[in-house]
């Protein structure tokens, strides 16, 4: 069965420092993986997706994620955090068929 | 192109009342999903449609919840009668077949049942 585990419920960084949000997945086949972001009182926005092409995926707003099959990981990174990056981030895996399974989310706080 | 549109954005109702949430998917998208988000349970898939036909409603919590999609551009999620534990943010999402399975979300409806 497919599942995702977000290893940190809350991450705090200072503006200008790197961001690392960790996600491990479980999948019985080659997975489709996504990261979504949710700003307060907003809907979910797609940040990036992995669909078995390049293992390093670039997304919007300077975020990227690397698919590592050997580690079953799909961590989200950004070289330099901005105040506007403060939000909830969800790691997502496609279930068999078309449904998506969402992780429990990681809250990113950015301090000045 | 306009994104997924949901209405109303906020709904406050009393226990026992009927609530209807509305969604317009992105034009050309043939899948539509309804989700519920709460602090306790996170984001849960309630039901999804393909070409207006319900495919999987196993996430619908109980018979008080029903969803319809009468045409490709409109769907409703109805709760009758509503209860305080139904208070949550309800999201609608859509996607187009033949793509990489990513879904596009609406802004959500925040439902409060008192």
């Amino acid at each position: 069965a497919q599942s995702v585990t977000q290893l940190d419920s809350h991450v705090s960084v200072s503006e200008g420092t790197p961001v690392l949000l960790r996600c491990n997945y479980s999948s019985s086949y080659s997975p489709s993986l996504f990261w979504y972001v949710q700003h307060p009182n907003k809907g979910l926005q797609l940040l990036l997706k992995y669909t078995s092409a390049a293992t390093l995926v670039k997304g919007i707003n300077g975020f990227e994620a690397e698919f590592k099959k050997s580690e079953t990981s799909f961590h989200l990174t950004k070289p330099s955090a901005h105040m506007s990056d403060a939000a909830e981030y969800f790691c997502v895996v496609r279930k068999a068929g078309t449904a998506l399974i969402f992780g429990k989310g990681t809250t990113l706080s950015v301090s000045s | 192109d306009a994104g997924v549109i949901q209405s109303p954005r906020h709904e406050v109702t009393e226990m026992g009342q009927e609530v209807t949430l509305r969604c317009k998917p992105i034009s050309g998208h043939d899948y539509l999903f309804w989700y519920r988000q709460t602090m306790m349970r996170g984001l849960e898939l309630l039901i999804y449609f393909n070409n207006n036909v319900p495919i999987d409603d196993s996430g619908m919590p109980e018979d008080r919840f029903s969803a319809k999609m009468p045409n490709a551009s409109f769907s409703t999620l109805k709760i009758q009668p509503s209860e305080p534990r139904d208070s949550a943010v309800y999201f609608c999402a859509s996607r187009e077949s033949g793509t990489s399975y990513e879904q596009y979300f609406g802004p959500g409806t925040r439902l409060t049942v008192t």
Side-chain angles (χ1 to χ4, degrees), chain A residues 15-93:
Chain A
E15 192 173 23
T17 64
V19 175
L20 170 63
L21 305 183
R22 299 182 295 162
C23 173
N24 286 351
Y25 71 90
S26 172
S27 178
S28 54
Y29 51 83
S30 182
S32 297
L33 293 160
F34 310 85
W35 277 97
Y36 281 81
V37 61
Q38 184 179 26
H39 287 92
N41 300 313
K42 301 288 187 182
L44 284 83
Q45 180 184 20
L46 179 67
L47 267 181
L48 50 80
K49 62 184 179 184
Y50 167 77
T51 55
S52 75
T55 56
L56 183 62
V57 181
K58 294 189 184 299
I60 61 172
N61 300 334
F63 284 94
E64 62 182 35
E66 186 171 8
F67 173 73
K68 292 187 176 180
K69 185 175 180 179
S70 60
E71 299 177 10
T72 61
S73 69
F74 190 58
H75 301 337
L76 181 70
T77 60
K78 182 173 181 177
S80 176
H82 192 272
M83 295 295 286
S84 61
D85 295 328
E88 185 93 9
Y89 292 80
F90 294 93
C91 182
V92 182
V93 66

Side-chain angles (χ1 to χ4, degrees), chain B residues 12 22 26 32-33 35-38 40-41 43 52 72-73 78 85 95 98 101 103 107 112:
Chain B
V12 180
R22 297 172 176 80
I26 293 172
L32 184 140
F33 305 81
Y35 291 88
R36 178 171 67 176
Q37 185 178 40
T38 61
M40 290 295 293
R41 301 173 69 91
L43 203 63
N52 314 336
S73 59
K78 186 176 293 186
R85 60 191 169 123
R95 82 164 185 91
Y101 298 97
Q103 297 175 16
T112 303

Side-chain angles (χ1 to χ4, degrees), chain B residues 54-73:
Chain B
I55 303 300
D56 184 354
D57 65 354
S58 59
M60 296 286 263
E62 48 197 278
D63 291 346
R64 297 185 297 106
F65 285 69
S66 62
K68 294 182 179 179
M69 192 165 186
N71 57 62
S73 59

